[in-house]
């Protein structure tokens, strides 16, 4: 986007330069993308009663400028089409990006107008020199950001700013409302009476997913209550025209079933045929306590009271879905997401009749804040459709929240993000691209298992990505409709996207060089039992960073050997 491009040319902005740039953002019409942004001329919003300057800085994670243009040509993106026609855009497919071109560095480059070496976040996961060599830092840890953000500079200049799903916004603390990502308070997984060919035991284990099965799976103990059995002890439940059955959908937090639900499975059709078609979920066996009654493929949004930890007694939420319900119950699969709670703050906020803080207000009064979960899809325990539906539920929760915040706070600057473009392209872009960026044939084209048998799902997967771009467009359009005043809009992305097939174990290279005794088993950390530890690899996307355990800089601990300072080169 414009901020990143200018940073690329002048390297580092001083604070006064940032403020001058921000003033320019208020009045200049500009558009760009894949590290990019779109911006419209200042136009008063409908029914505007204010002549004040307003700015939306919208970033859709991983948005590609060429795909925006293609979908706009199909008349699928009305808000961005208007910007393409009336604003300005970066040439050659998008603005110059920071390096590495990924989330952890890109969002802060957009937020600050500075390079990663200045704002402090150099990757999704990285190491801070001088820290113990076994440590690692996440891009959105509180210690990562080292530069003032545009939002902070704007507030210092007397502007009202709101941050909604603006990655890293909760690290770049402001006085206005901020809603950024979510806390995870349980695991996620399924209760099921069958194992499908797609269920991947290794991935279930590596991702720490829950897979309750009567005989056990992926090293997990047998769980008999994952099989339908005759329902007993239920009250206030619907009539079943076949003998009612029951299951238990556990929701585990470090092995403890804190938020589990009993499932009453019944046949609602009086047709003399066994046809189980509905599942009632209740924390008890009383239908009066039911939290959802769902048919095959249907979702429920369940609020829970958090048990344990610093959020004890507060509100969280999860989604549940009847993933599979064969009429004869030969195949039943019940799915739950993690229990989550939005990270939200708004100093000085109050709502008549409500005693809690803003985060609790959001948790109680808005749909559960969730997003797509790559782990359950890659482990094969849910369908691609379930992955997509969970991802798009972001809009169900955030669109009313955007309306609430903008209407009640009326910010001068709205920093707004959208995550779904990133999530869907991660999973599907490499399956719909016949060739790789170097022109070679893509072995995974329409073949998720790469076994030579086409999946026949190019159209569906293309539609998933298209829907994500439409979601970005509708989110932007909603924000534009709510901002009152003379409005300038900027659209950006933190990085671009390309399909990838082959991957490299960078830590094996370090083993071959004699700098590690064994390959790493996790990102940016030497493996347990490592005996050399003179270097390590930190990776994300197409980028790897190699760190040396340098004598005199890193602490001499962890049982690792160190690189002599005079041999660094």
């Amino acid at each position: 986007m414009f901020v990143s491009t200018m940073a690329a040319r002048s390297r580092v902005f001083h604070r006064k330069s940032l403020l001058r740039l921000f003033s320019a953002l208020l009045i200049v019409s500009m558009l760009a993308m894949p590290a990019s942004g779109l911006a419209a001329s200042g136009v008063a919003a409908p029914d505007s009663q204010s002549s004040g300057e307003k700015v939306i800085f919208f970033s859709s994670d991983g948005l590609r400028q060429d795909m925006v243009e293609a979908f706009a040509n199909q008349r699928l993106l009305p808000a961005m089409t208007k910007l393409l026609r009336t604003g300005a855009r970066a040439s050659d497919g998008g603005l110059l990006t920071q390096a590495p071109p990924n989330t952890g560095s890109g969002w802060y480059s957009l937020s600050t107008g500075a390079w990663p070496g200045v704002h402090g976040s150099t990757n999704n996961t990285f190491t801070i020199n001088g820290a113990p060599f076994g440590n690692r830092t996440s891009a959105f840890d509180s210690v990562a950001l080292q530069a003032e953000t545009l939002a902070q500079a704007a507030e210092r200049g007397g502007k009202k700013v709101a941050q909604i799903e603006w990655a890293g916004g909760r690290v770049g603390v402001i006085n206005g409302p901020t809603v950024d990502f979510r806390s995870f308070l349980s695991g996620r997984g399924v209760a099921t009476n069958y194992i499908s060919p797609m269920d991947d035991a290794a991935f279930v284990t590596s991702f720490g997913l829950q897979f309750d099965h009567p005989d056990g799976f992926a090293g997990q103990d047998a769980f008999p209550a994952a099989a339908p059995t005759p329902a007993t002890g239920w009250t206030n439940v619907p009539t079943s025209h076949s003998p009612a059955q029951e299951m238990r959908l556990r929701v585990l937090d470090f092995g403890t079933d804190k938020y589990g639900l009993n499932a009453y499975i019944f046949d609602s059709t009086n047709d003399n045929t066994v046809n189980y078609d509905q599942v009632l979920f209740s924390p008890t066996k009383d239908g009066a306590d039911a939290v959802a009654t769902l048919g095959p493929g249907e979702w429920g949004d369940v609020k829970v009271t958090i048990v344990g930890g610093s959020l004890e007694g507060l509100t969280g939420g999860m989604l549940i879905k009847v993933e599979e319900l064969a009429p004869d119950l030969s195949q039943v699969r019940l799915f739950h997401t993690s229990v989550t709670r939005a990270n939200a703050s708004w100093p000085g906020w109050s709502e008549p009749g409500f005693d809690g803080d803003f985060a609790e207000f959001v948790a109680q009064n808005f749909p559960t804040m969730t997003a797509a979960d790559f782990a359950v899809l890659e482990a094969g325990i849910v369908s691609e459709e379930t992955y997509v539906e969970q991802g798009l539920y972001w809009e169900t929760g955030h669109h009313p929240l955007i309306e609430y915040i903008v209407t009640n706070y009326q910010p001068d600057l709205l920093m707004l993000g959208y995550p779904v473009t990133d999530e869907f392209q991660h999973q599907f872009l490499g399956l719909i691209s016949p060739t790789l960026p170097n022109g070679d044939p893509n072995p995974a084209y329409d073949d998720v298992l790469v076994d030579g048998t086409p999946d026949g799902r190019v159209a569906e997967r293309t539609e998933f990505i298209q829907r994500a771009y439409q979601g970005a467009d509708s989110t932007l359009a909603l924000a534009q409709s709510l901002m009152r005043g003379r409005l300038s809009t900027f659209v950006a992305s933190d990085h671009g996207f390309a399909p990838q097939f082959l991957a490299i174990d960078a830590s094996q290279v370090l083993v071959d060089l004699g700098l590690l005794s064994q390959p790493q088993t996790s990102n940016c950390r030497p493996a347990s039992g490592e005996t050399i530890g003179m270097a390590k690899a930190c990776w994300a996307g197409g980028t790897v960073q190699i760190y040396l355990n340098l004598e005199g800089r890193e602490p001499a601990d962890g049982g690792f050997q160190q690189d002599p300072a005079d041999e660094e080169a």
Side-chain angles (χ1 to χ4, degrees):
M1 142 98 228
F2 179 60
V3 176
S4 294
T5 301
M6 294 300 293
R9 290 173 180 166
S10 54
R11 295 292 174 179
V12 179
F13 281 120
H14 296 294
R15 289 186 176 184
K16 289 182 179 179
S17 299
L18 278 170
L19 288 174
R20 286 198 297 271
L21 174 59
F22 178 73
S23 298
L25 295 181
L26 291 173
I27 57 176
V28 174
S29 198
M30 178 138 299
L31 157 22
M33 270 175 350
S36 68
L38 302 159
S41 302
V43 178
D47 303 320
S48 174
Q49 299 298 314
S50 170
S51 60
E53 298 283 1
K54 304 285 185 178
V55 171
I56 295 172
F57 191 168
F58 177 72
S59 184
S60 187
D61 205 312
L63 199 77
R64 283 175 44 157
Q65 182 159 302
D66 60 336
M67 294 182 72
V68 168
E69 292 169 346
F71 289 140
N73 289 337
Q74 299 173 44
R75 301 184 179 181
L76 298 174
L77 310 178
M80 294 187 194
T81 297
K82 182 177 181 181
L83 297 183
L84 287 166
R85 290 175 177 171
T86 63
R89 69 181 109 170
S91 61
D92 301 323
L95 291 173
L96 295 177
T97 187
Q98 78 296 325
N102 61 26
T103 298
S105 57
W107 277 96
Y108 287 132
S109 289
L110 293 175
S111 296
T112 65
W115 289 120
V118 174
H119 63 60
S121 181
T122 63
N123 206 335
N124 288 353
T125 306
F126 57 95
T127 283
I128 296 176
N129 288 339
F133 200 65
N135 289 11
R136 65 183 181 186
T137 299
S138 168
F140 301 115
D141 287 349
S142 59
V143 298
L145 182 60
Q146 300 294 312
E148 183 178 51
T149 67
L150 290 175
Q152 292 168 331
E155 279 197 339
R156 194 160 47 79
K159 302 297 183 181
K160 294 170 64 178
V161 184
Q163 302 178 124
I164 305 174
E165 205 71 5
W166 183 268
R170 67 187 184 278
V171 179
V173 179
I174 62 172
N175 295 317
T178 294
V179 181
D180 180 21
F181 206 59
R182 57 210 61 85
S183 299
F184 296 90
L185 304 164
S186 80
R188 65 278 204 217
V190 297
T192 185
N193 66 341
Y194 71 100
I195 297 173
S196 81
M198 294 299 293
D199 294 327
D200 189 310
F203 275 25
V204 168
T205 300
S206 65
F207 291 135
L209 303 179
Q210 177 189 343
F211 195 106
D212 282 344
H213 184 272
D215 299 325
F217 182 72
Q220 301 182 28
D221 292 337
F223 185 65
T229 56
T232 60
W234 288 83
T235 59
N236 301 313
V237 289
T239 298
S240 181
H241 298 284
S242 299
Q245 304 288 299
E246 66 181 12
M247 290 173 61
R248 176 71 177 177
L249 178 62
R250 297 193 298 174
V251 182
L252 303 177
D253 180 22
F254 290 100
T256 300
D257 186 7
K258 292 182 177 179
Y259 312 106
L261 298 169
N262 294 310
Y264 175 83
I265 306 171
F266 63 101
D267 178 356
S268 69
T269 58
N270 187 11
D271 56 4
N272 297 314
T273 302
V274 174
N275 182 29
Y276 291 97
D277 62 340
Q278 295 287 302
V279 183
L280 180 148
F281 293 89
S282 173
T284 65
K285 286 193 172 184
D286 187 344
D289 299 327
V291 295
T293 300
L294 308 174
E298 294 182 341
W299 291 82
D301 189 333
V302 180
K303 298 294 186 181
V304 304
T305 300
I306 298 169
V307 178
S310 61
L311 300 175
E312 168 82 37
L314 297 177
T315 304
M318 64 178 173
L319 303 184
I320 57 175
K321 183 186 180 183
V322 178
E323 178 74 10
E324 183 69 41
L325 185 64
D328 63 355
L329 302 187
S330 58
Q331 292 190 338
V332 182
R333 181 161 295 189
L334 310 178
F335 167 65
H336 72 86
T337 69
S338 295
V339 172
T340 62
R341 176 181 167 90
N343 299 320
S345 64
W346 189 343
W349 170 90
S350 65
E351 184 73 22
F354 190 82
D355 293 332
D357 63 9
F358 180 59
E360 181 64 10
F361 179 77
V362 171
Q364 289 188 22
N365 293 280
F366 291 86
T368 294
M369 299 297 171
T370 189
D373 183 351
F374 71 92
V376 295
L377 176 60
E378 293 182 15
I381 67 174
V382 301
S383 66
E384 291 180 349
E385 282 71 19
T386 294
Y387 171 84
V388 166
E389 290 159 4
Q390 183 180 346
L392 293 175
Y393 202 80
W394 182 95
E395 298 171 15
T396 302
H398 280 78
H399 280 194
L401 187 57
I402 293 168
E403 183 171 2
Y404 177 85
I405 289 174
V406 174
T407 300
N408 286 277
Y409 192 59
Q410 300 181 32
D412 301 302
L413 170 62
L414 174 61
M415 311 286 278
L416 177 62
Y418 182 79
V420 186
T421 41
D422 179 86
E423 295 163 344
F424 287 12
Q425 288 178 125
H426 266 300
Q427 296 302 325
F428 304 121
L429 188 63
L431 299 174
I432 65 171
S433 304
T435 58
L436 298 171
N438 64 358
D440 289 347
N442 177 13
Y445 174 65
D446 196 29
D447 188 0
V448 69
L449 297 178
V450 198
D451 60 3
T453 302
D455 302 325
R457 288 184 59 82
V458 172
E460 290 88 343
R461 291 162 176 163
T462 301
E463 187 174 341
F464 294 155
I465 293 178
Q466 173 186 303
R467 174 59 181 82
Y469 276 72
Q470 289 177 299
D473 193 79
S474 65
T475 300
L476 173 62
L478 172 64
Q480 289 177 314
S481 72
L482 296 169
M483 294 286 277
R484 294 290 179 254
R486 185 171 177 81
L487 180 63
S488 294
T489 298
F490 295 77
V491 175
S493 64
D494 54 327
H495 58 77
F497 245 101
Q500 173 182 308
F501 178 69
L502 294 177
I504 295 169
D505 182 353
S507 69
Q508 179 61 53
V509 178
L510 300 179
V511 173
D512 295 343
L513 291 171
L515 300 173
L516 285 176
S517 65
Q518 58 184 313
Q520 292 171 216
T521 54
S522 66
N523 191 1
C524 216
R525 282 179 176 160
S528 176
E530 172 62 39
T531 59
I532 299 178
M534 297 176 72
K536 66 176 180 179
C538 304
W539 56 80
T543 298
V544 63
Q545 296 171 324
I546 303 299
Y547 289 88
L548 296 179
N549 188 355
L550 193 63
E551 185 180 62
R553 184 181 67 189
E554 274 69 60
D557 61 6
F560 303 140
Q561 301 176 33
Q562 292 195 302
D563 301 285
D566 60 359
E567 296 180 11
E568 176 184 359

